Amino acid sequence: MLETVWLDDRLVRLVDQTLLPHEVRVVSCATPDEVAGAIRGLRVRGAPAIGVAAAYGIALAAACASALPGAERAHTVEAAGAVLTAARPTAVNLRWAVERMLTKAREARQEEDAAFAALLRREADAIAEEDRAANRLIGRWGEALIRPGERILTYCHTGGLATAGYGTAFGILRAAHEANKGIHVLACETRPVLQGARLTAWELLQHGIPATLITDNAAGALMARGAVDRVIVGADRIAANGDVANKIGTYTLAVLARAHALPFIVAAPISTVDLACPDGAAIPIEERAASEVTHVGGCRIAPEGITVHNPAFDVTPHDLVTAIVTEGGVAAPPFDRSLAALAGAAAGSG
Ligand code: MRU
């Protein structure tokens, strides 16, 4: 199985997702700044995966700073946390993983050099391992919702490489396929940077899941023709009231799903739920480079000089969401209550 990101002594290694599906190349980051650069440049992407990458970035900072005097060591690790948190604003998993690592670093501040670095490495490994386990559970809960033979539309890329392994929304597709439900996946290309066409299509083929790649614009026509039974997507941040930030275009699909009376399912680990964020209006939305819109695969398609607006995410209001599948179970409306209960149960068992 292809690992998404890991720490090799004093190098964070990750599969460069910008090169897929043409090339599987592992790149190395020697500093937390380089890890932050890989996150900003989408070499590693997907909310849980960037959380895990940031955790390894801090473990790397701890390894490199382990010989420094106590105060300097602490400062280096805190500074790495600040750089990594600032890399991308929307996916809360990034901030969540950094805060968890910094809490561990503060608790371990009296430890000797090697023990300090080892403790932080173990914490990053635990974050990755817990994410893999959460994805398996999301798959199991979500699979139970699916009837045999369903045609399921998905968006962006939520597979193994968007997480520490297995996938969230993709994990449900995988679990349904493994349970011989006879599903057929409709994967949207996902403009502007085509995570669906490049990454979801690639992982669907890897796992032998029957699938068809469609343009984003084809989704409504297929729903109107009765060719879609359900929509399942991932999330970058879920507010306390159940509003969902996810890849730009998700909201459009949710409106279409409602217009065609289709279930609209969101799948995400509890680390994606931000109870401190009351609703979607409080979620920061990342604006990305104009070149993502004016170019496709490095080739310019729009004229020089055109003004571009490129928000990377949108917010789907909670009343368009049928259910939110987490590792702790399936949250149903009203989400303010069901999400608080799931997050509370997770905190109690953690
Ligand atoms: O900009 P990206 O590619 O990081 O956006 C990713 C998404 O929107 C995913 O749907 C989300 O992070 C969930 S990944 C399990």
Side-chain angles (χ1 to χ4, degrees):
M1 197 192 69
L2 201 53
E3 294 256 347
T4 307
V5 53
W6 65 98
L7 182 64
D8 238 357
D9 191 23
R10 291 192 179 189
L11 290 175
V12 172
R13 305 229 197 243
L14 50 95
V15 175
D16 187 341
Q17 297 186 37
T18 63
L19 302 176
L20 286 166
H22 309 297
E23 189 186 342
V24 181
R25 192 195 297 170
V26 173
V27 294
S28 303
C29 303
T31 64
D33 278 13
E34 286 182 17
V35 177
I39 292 171
R40 265 194 306 275
L42 307 184
R43 293 187 191 287
V44 56
R45 45 142 304 282
I50 63 177
V52 175
Y56 281 121
I58 292 179
L60 171 68
C64 297
S66 63
L68 296 174
E72 249 180 271
R73 184 178 77 178
H75 174 76
T76 305
V77 171
E78 297 282 338
V83 164
L84 287 158
T85 305
R88 294 191 77 188
T90 304
V92 76
N93 309 62
L94 179 59
R95 191 189 72 199
W96 170 86
V98 167
E99 279 172 5
R100 181 165 155 180
M101 291 296 291
L102 293 182
T103 301
K104 181 54 84 181
R106 287 169 202 144
E107 285 167 6
R109 67 183 180 282
Q110 309 291 5
E111 299 288 343
E112 302 275 310
D113 310 347
F116 179 74
L119 273 170
L120 287 187
R121 192 209 165 99
R122 267 211 294 284
E123 191 69 3
D125 284 341
I127 288 173
E129 191 45 52
E130 287 166 27
D131 186 60
R132 280 189 282 271
N135 290 336
R136 292 272 176 182
L137 288 169
I138 289 169
R140 211 180 298 162
W141 288 111
E143 181 267 307
L145 303 175
I146 292 170
R147 294 179 308 268
E150 278 194 9
R151 295 147 307 167
I152 305 171
L153 187 138
T154 193
Y155 197 58
C156 197
H157 171 254
T158 60
L161 287 175
T163 64
Y166 201 71
T168 57
F170 191 91
I172 297 176
L173 304 175
R174 228 175 125 172
H177 176 66
E178 285 161 10
N180 297 316
K181 288 255 169 106
I183 61 162
H184 190 98
V185 176
L186 297 158
C188 295
E189 284 181 306
T190 319
R191 268 291 271 156
V193 296
L194 303 170
Q195 291 94 331
R198 295 185 301 104
L199 305 169
T200 303
W202 184 72
E203 283 200 28
L204 285 164
L205 288 172
Q206 297 249 313
H207 296 290
I209 303 173
T212 304
L213 178 65
I214 59 170
T215 63
D216 302 335
N217 308 333
L222 286 173
M223 289 182 192
R225 205 190 291 159
V228 180
D229 298 302
R230 181 185 302 274
V231 179
I232 308 183
V233 300
D236 284 80
R237 191 184 303 219
I238 302 173
N241 71 343
D243 290 353
V244 174
N246 191 49
K247 181 52 55 194
I248 188 79
T250 302
Y251 169 59
T252 315
L253 292 174
V255 173
L256 283 170
R258 173 59 53 88
H260 296 91
L262 296 174
F264 184 85
I265 309 294
V266 175
I270 288 162
S271 56
T272 305
V273 177
D274 184 1
L275 294 182
C277 214
D279 55 37
I283 300 177
I285 300 295
E286 178 182 9
E287 175 78 23
R288 291 191 59 86
S291 58
E292 289 185 348
V293 179
T294 56
H295 291 66
V296 172
C299 178
R300 176 174 276 282
I301 54 161
E304 301 265 7
I306 189 69
T307 301
V308 170
H309 176 37
N310 183 20
F313 302 97
D314 59 24
V315 174
T316 297
H318 60 91
D319 57 347
L320 294 179
V321 177
T322 310
I324 299 174
V325 183
T326 73
E327 66 272 38
V330 180
F335 292 114
D336 51 353
R337 279 199 230 144
S338 54
L339 290 174
L342 283 170
S349 68

